[in-house]
Amino acid sequence: MSVYRVTDVIGTSPTSWEEAAKEALAATAGSLRDLRVAEVSKLDITLTPEGKIEAFRVKLSVSFKYEKA
């Protein structure tokens, strides 16, 4: 039997949602082991006061396996 936890992480990038997701996963992989699935749960952008894209943001639900003690 296996047990998994799901947690949300948010990545940002000035260039694309794909890069934002990669940043979020790279940071997450540095802290957690045994990552299983990353599901995009939200995409949005932040805008400058002039209405130009400032950053792409991706919210990911990431699952990882609990280790047995």
Side-chain angles (χ1 to χ4, degrees):
M1 179 182 355
S2 298
V3 176
Y4 298 88
R5 176 174 175 129
V6 178
T7 190
D8 290 333
V9 295
I10 297 172
T12 64
S13 167
T15 56
S16 70
W17 282 303
E18 183 178 357
E19 288 300 316
K22 287 179 183 178
E23 285 294 319
L25 288 175
T28 304
S31 298
L32 300 173
R33 292 182 304 210
D34 237 350
L35 296 177
R36 298 299 177 147
V37 175
E39 178 182 351
V40 174
S41 56
K42 186 175 181 180
L43 298 171
D44 63 24
I45 55 174
T46 57
L47 302 172
T48 67
E50 297 79 29
K52 295 185 180 189
I53 294 175
E54 183 172 59
F56 294 86
R57 299 188 321 170
V58 175
K59 183 176 183 180
L60 299 173
S61 295
V62 180
S63 68
F64 56 97
K65 188 175 180 181
Y66 274 117
E67 294 181 358
K68 292 183 181 181

